[in-house]
Amino acid sequence: MIKDEVNKDITRIKRITPKWLFIILPVAIIIFSIISTGIGAVFIHPLDVLAVLVGTGTEMDTILVEKYRIPRIVLALLVGAGLSVSGTILQGIIRNPLASPDVIGITKGAGLAAVVVIILFPNSPTFVLPLAAFSGALIIALILYLLVYKQGMQPTTLALGGVALGALCNAGIQYFMIKFPLEINAALIWLTGSLWSSRWEQIYGVFPWIIILLPLSMILATKLDILNFGDDVAIGLGLGVVRVRLLLLFIAVALAAACVAAIGSIGFVGLIAPHVARKLVGAKHKLLIPMSAMTGSLLVVVADSIGRGLIPPKEIPVGIVVAVIGAPYFLYLLRKESKNL
């Protein structure tokens, strides 16, 4: 009986999804990616970008596009998708529309670890910084898990514990900024989140996580739907709530950690993209997860294009552009949620 009721509820909240959304959005991503590839200190016309892609571009355009611009676009697409899916999963398991990797402390943990490496070990090899950021995010996730495990991984406990750990990491970052004011400039660039000087090596570090964890999140999408009906209903359907929530939490943390390790502490993508996707396709995660991934990719590419094209040859880090968009949207959501209480 419970299962029948849940199936009826899932059918009720499911929206009729126009198939053209899953056609138009990838096309929009391709178009904006081509346009974005030409934006920068040296502008390249989109037709010239296409010429490079088919092998008929000039030597100068080919060098700029293949060596500098394409890695940047590919990394923006991967990071946007990873952060968005991470936010979608966190909002599902915590059952809070305001949850995201940066809100519950994951990106703050990565940021603190990165600041420690940048300031205290400035001459360390290049691979140490992303490794430290990844480790910092995982350590915060492990501490969060240990804090909430005895309470059965309850959504409220997860959210509050993540916020507290994020505040603690932020205090650590502020301490280093005060203690080492002369050395903090490099750390500040990383903390804002930037795609400047993107390289294929960064893509190789993110791509395996995206290609493995995104399909895995799709496999677990139905279980995430069931979790949204509450623990009692999920247990009644035979779902191992703690085990499933822990697995989903690991996927969300790993995706966010890999993305933050690649480009820095970029916020609000994991908050905005899931909400936009939810308005487009509804709450069912089989549709919500891929739509969030595409929405996040498009958001980061567009934000990076704005950052590069606003005052060339200077660049505004993509994290700042997304924050300008995301902060007002976060306040709007906060006000909306407070009215629903």
Side-chain angles (χ1 to χ4, degrees):
M1 290 296 294
I2 296 177
K3 189 171 184 178
D4 292 337
E5 289 297 322
V6 171
N7 288 334
K8 289 179 182 178
D9 288 336
I10 292 176
T11 303
R12 195 178 302 121
I13 66 173
K14 178 183 176 182
R15 297 181 182 179
I16 301 174
T17 307
K19 292 182 179 179
W20 49 264
L21 277 175
F22 288 93
I23 299 174
I24 287 182
L25 209 56
V27 172
I29 290 172
I30 293 171
I31 292 173
F32 275 101
S33 296
I34 293 172
I35 295 172
S36 180
T37 302
I39 295 175
V42 178
F43 178 76
I44 303 174
H45 194 278
L47 292 179
D48 294 329
V49 174
L50 288 174
V52 171
L53 295 178
V54 298
T56 59
T58 65
E59 183 179 356
M60 180 61 70
D61 287 349
T62 301
I63 293 174
L64 282 174
V65 170
E66 293 184 352
K67 189 173 182 180
Y68 299 104
R69 303 284 176 84
I70 288 182
R72 184 168 186 152
I73 298 300
V74 173
L75 190 58
L77 294 172
L78 292 175
V79 167
L83 289 175
S84 301
V85 173
S86 177
T88 302
I89 294 172
L90 288 173
Q91 289 175 12
I93 62 177
I94 295 178
R95 299 202 297 272
N96 188 331
L98 300 179
S100 66
D102 44 307
V103 171
I104 71 163
I106 295 173
T107 56
K108 291 292 191 298
L112 177 58
V115 167
V116 170
V117 170
I118 292 171
I119 293 178
L120 299 184
F121 307 99
N123 297 320
S124 57
T126 55
F127 70 88
V128 173
L129 180 59
L131 183 62
F134 191 90
S135 301
L138 291 183
I139 289 171
I140 289 298
L142 179 60
I143 295 173
L144 181 61
Y145 167 72
L146 294 175
L147 288 174
V148 304
Y149 180 75
K150 290 185 179 180
Q151 283 75 33
M153 300 287 289
Q154 293 297 318
T156 303
T157 312
L158 271 171
L160 293 177
V163 169
L165 288 173
L168 186 63
C169 291
N170 193 56
I173 293 171
Q174 295 296 325
Y175 166 79
F176 278 99
M177 291 176 68
I178 296 171
K179 184 72 173 177
F180 303 95
L182 299 179
E183 294 87 354
I184 199 63
N185 287 336
L188 285 175
I189 294 173
W190 193 92
L191 288 170
T192 57
S194 176
L195 287 162
W196 182 78
S197 189
S198 298
R199 302 180 305 276
W200 286 106
E201 290 79 5
Q202 294 167 280
I203 296 171
Y204 300 149
V206 176
F207 184 74
W209 296 96
I210 301 293
I211 202 67
I212 293 172
L213 295 181
L214 256 61
L216 183 56
S217 65
M218 288 293 297
I219 293 172
L220 297 171
T222 303
K223 298 183 186 298
L224 196 52
D225 287 333
I226 296 174
L227 283 177
N228 282 337
F229 289 100
D231 291 358
D232 292 338
V233 174
I235 293 171
L237 291 170
L239 187 69
V241 172
V242 175
R243 176 176 53 82
V244 171
R245 191 171 280 141
L246 182 60
L247 177 58
L248 288 166
L249 180 63
F250 169 77
I251 293 173
V253 170
L255 284 171
C259 294
V260 173
I263 71 167
S265 183
I266 179 172
F268 291 109
V269 175
L271 176 70
I272 299 173
H275 278 275
V276 174
R278 197 172 286 110
K279 289 182 180 297
L280 293 174
V281 299
K284 195 169 184 181
H285 286 87
K286 280 285 187 183
L287 302 174
L288 182 59
I289 288 174
M291 184 57 67
S292 294
M294 290 188 289
T295 305
S297 294
L298 184 60
L299 172 63
V300 175
V301 168
V302 171
D304 184 48
S305 301
I306 294 172
R308 279 183 286 138
L310 204 58
I311 48 172
K314 295 182 180 179
E315 291 188 12
I316 301 173
V318 63
I320 294 177
V321 179
V322 174
V324 170
I325 301 170
Y329 191 70
F330 179 77
L331 293 175
Y332 162 75
L333 291 174
L334 192 62
R335 182 181 179 187
K336 184 178 178 181
E337 287 300 310
S338 64
K339 287 182 177 181
N340 294 333
L341 293 177

